[in-house]
Amino acid sequence: MDDYQLHTLPNGIRIAHKQVLHTQIAHVGLMLDMGSRDEQPHQQGLAHFWEHMAFKGTEHRQAHHIINRLENVGGELNAYTTKEKICFHASLLGVHVEKAIELLADITFHSTFPERQIERERGVILEEMSMYYDSPEDAIQDDFDQLVFPNHPLGYNILGTADTVNSFNKDSLRQFIDENIDTERIVFASVSNMPFQKVVKMAEKYLRDIPAKRSGRVRQAPTGYVPLTEQMKRPITQAQCAFGRTAYGLTDPKRLPFFMLVNLLGGPGMNSRLNMNLRERCGLVYSIDASYTPYLDTGYLGIYFGTDSKQIDRSLTLIQREFKLLREKPLTTSQLHNTKEQLRGQLAMAEEGNNSFMLMMAKSLLDINRVEPLPDIFSEIQAVTAAELQDLAVEMLDEKEFSTLLFMPEN
């Protein structure tokens, strides 16, 4: 799945397509290189608000027409917002793919943001915020961003605050879009059984007349990270802990080996070191995971777990013991081989899904201007040495550089 074709429209929008002959399903998406990190303080949550409002009416459709357009042919229409991206995407039978392309273009570029719908959706998002607040395992990750990236848009909650969400109107949405949209930073991505030229012809029909737009936006990198520890009382029965620090950005050559190190430490495999120690050996947690999130110019490592409040100190001590082992003891030949094979398998399975590949293709083109073939990634993994991983552990797994956020039960 490493070959794809690319075409650029005169307005700068890129069309990327992967032909998969054996599927009857088409996956298409429009991804824009703008997200919550591009908001001003008074705009917190506006990117996500736009994601919601795009479905609420266009120059050609009312909200119910948008919902029914693909649902009536068994398709799915969806969207998401991250710190750096907004994406509208759809999956449906390939024979109906032009419906999806036209609809994605319509909601992305021709939304009208009806005032009545803004008021309605404002309430929906406030309820979404309450839902996350009532889920401490989700809320702590959002709050931890603010600890790692204080006074910076990367620390903003993607949903915003109650005050900012209550302040948004049609002009707010139009201003945010006008300030940040850049047609050279938009990718239309597609995976289906159709030939490339047919996809290009359909996409051109709905995207070529979008006016070329350049954004003068300059993203500011966060600086001056200082480890902090905060504790909050919450109406919960189990203590929640976030433990982490800043890390490498998307283009740093250490990104892939560090991802391998974090995967070994606390990745999705049940045999991760943290899961084996804290859950399987000691029975302290139901789940624990470590994740590495790279951004354009920075990144962060986060470790998350819940446990009895009396076991927080012991859990952190065990985590730091794993850090010490990785710093002081290089992986054996067998351990290094298994670590590489596990990551290779995880990446291959992630790319096997056509929808996942479509989204990854768009994001990669926006982030690094190419889609790296899986065999090339495998070669990079194979080249990583035990000494390299140990050096990364020495550099990055120093607990004195970690911030800690605790949600503790009120009683």
Side-chain angles (χ1 to χ4, degrees):
M1 296 187 69
D2 50 37
D3 53 321
Y4 66 99
Q5 293 171 283
L6 190 64
H7 175 75
T8 303
L9 298 176
N11 57 16
I13 296 175
R14 284 173 284 179
I15 300 167
H17 178 65
K18 165 70 180 178
Q19 185 177 24
V20 179
L21 295 176
H22 62 264
T23 183
Q24 298 299 311
I25 304 299
H27 304 278
V28 291
L30 270 168
M31 188 175 292
L32 301 89
D33 193 32
M34 52 193 289
S36 64
R37 77 168 295 177
D38 303 308
E39 298 163 349
Q40 300 298 317
H42 67 281
Q43 295 176 320
Q44 291 181 48
L46 197 47
H48 175 256
F49 203 96
W50 176 32
E51 175 212 316
H52 276 240
M53 285 304 303
F55 294 83
K56 301 306 173 184
T58 72
E59 297 167 9
H60 310 102
R61 293 181 173 89
Q62 295 181 14
H64 68 277
H65 294 135
I66 294 171
I67 292 171
N68 289 326
R69 178 67 169 163
L70 302 187
E71 293 279 349
N72 285 344
V73 294
E76 296 178 354
L77 177 65
N78 217 325
Y80 63 84
T81 304
T82 69
K83 302 284 186 178
E84 296 184 331
K85 303 287 184 288
I86 297 174
C87 183
F88 303 101
H89 59 103
S91 299
L92 73 173
L93 282 170
V95 294
H96 300 299
V97 70
E98 188 169 352
K99 294 178 184 289
I101 297 172
E102 185 272 336
L103 183 62
L104 289 174
D106 194 27
I107 65 174
T108 304
F109 300 107
H110 304 294
S111 291
T112 53
F113 312 125
E115 292 288 357
R116 183 163 50 181
Q117 292 284 6
I118 287 176
E119 291 306 315
R120 186 174 301 162
E121 208 59 26
R122 193 191 317 279
V124 170
I125 292 173
L126 291 172
E127 288 301 317
E128 185 179 1
M129 293 169 66
S130 297
M131 179 183 71
Y132 273 90
Y133 183 82
D134 288 341
S135 177
E137 62 272 18
D138 293 324
I140 196 168
Q141 297 186 42
D142 288 329
D143 288 359
F144 189 63
D145 287 351
Q146 299 176 40
L147 203 65
V148 177
F149 302 113
N151 304 313
H152 190 275
L154 283 174
Y156 294 170
N157 189 319
I158 289 174
L159 300 180
T161 70
D163 287 343
T164 57
V165 169
N166 276 314
S167 73
F168 297 153
N169 56 34
K170 182 182 294 191
D171 290 339
S172 307
L173 289 158
R174 294 196 185 282
Q175 180 183 1
F176 177 74
I177 294 168
D178 184 62
E179 290 172 346
N180 290 284
I181 202 164
D182 185 331
T183 49
E184 290 189 351
R185 306 296 302 157
I186 298 173
V187 170
F188 170 78
S190 165
V191 174
S192 72
N193 62 12
M194 294 183 179
F196 178 57
Q197 290 305 323
K198 186 173 182 179
V199 173
V200 168
K201 185 176 180 180
M202 285 190 291
E204 277 187 322
K205 181 178 177 181
Y206 302 105
L207 298 175
R208 67 187 172 201
D209 292 332
I210 302 301
K213 175 77 165 59
R214 304 292 173 261
S215 169
R217 179 195 69 200
V218 177
R219 285 172 168 165
Q220 299 297 321
T223 57
Y225 168 73
V226 177
L228 297 171
T229 296
E230 287 190 7
Q231 181 172 313
M232 303 177 184
K233 293 288 188 178
R234 297 287 292 270
I236 52 179
T237 57
Q238 182 190 54
Q240 297 288 324
C241 179
F243 188 57
R245 59 162 298 168
T246 54
Y248 308 110
L250 275 165
T251 59
D252 196 297
K254 295 179 180 179
R255 181 177 68 94
L256 182 63
F258 186 61
F259 183 77
M260 184 186 303
L261 181 68
V262 175
N263 199 59
L264 168 68
L265 178 67
M270 293 292 287
N271 65 341
S272 74
R273 292 196 172 194
L274 294 181
N275 190 72
M276 291 298 294
N277 198 341
L278 275 77
R279 174 175 167 147
E280 299 300 328
R281 292 195 186 100
C282 299
L284 297 177
V285 301
Y286 175 74
S287 66
I288 181 169
D289 66 85
S291 61
Y292 162 47
T293 304
Y295 297 119
L296 172 70
D297 42 21
T298 187
Y300 77 93
L301 161 65
I303 297 171
Y304 305 96
F305 65 92
T307 189
D308 186 277
S309 57
K310 297 177 182 177
Q311 300 294 349
I312 285 288
D313 289 342
R314 185 183 176 202
S315 299
L316 288 171
T317 298
L318 290 174
I319 292 170
Q320 292 168 21
R321 186 178 299 170
E322 292 299 329
F323 287 1
K324 188 171 186 288
L325 284 172
L326 288 168
R327 291 195 305 262
E328 297 181 354
K329 188 176 181 181
L331 298 184
T332 66
T333 301
S334 175
Q335 289 172 331
L336 180 62
H337 172 77
N338 291 341
T339 298
K340 292 178 178 180
E341 286 301 298
Q342 185 172 35
L343 183 56
R344 278 160 46 101
Q346 290 172 353
L347 291 174
M349 285 190 287
E351 284 205 8
E352 187 177 40
N354 290 337
N355 188 58
S356 297
F357 183 84
M358 180 272 293
L359 296 172
M360 181 279 294
M361 180 166 57
K363 185 176 186 299
S364 293
L365 286 167
L366 290 172
D367 286 339
I368 60 174
N369 211 33
R370 69 184 190 278
V371 180
E372 195 169 11
L374 202 55
D376 290 0
I377 299 174
F378 285 176
S379 295
E380 292 178 47
I381 292 172
Q382 193 59 37
V384 176
T385 66
E388 190 175 359
L389 292 178
Q390 188 176 12
D391 288 345
L392 283 172
V394 171
E395 180 182 353
M396 298 299 294
L397 300 184
D398 179 356
E399 53 268 18
K400 295 190 296 296
E401 294 299 317
F402 276 63
S403 293
T404 307
L405 177 61
L406 295 170
F407 285 177
M408 302 295 284
E410 291 177 340
N411 297 319

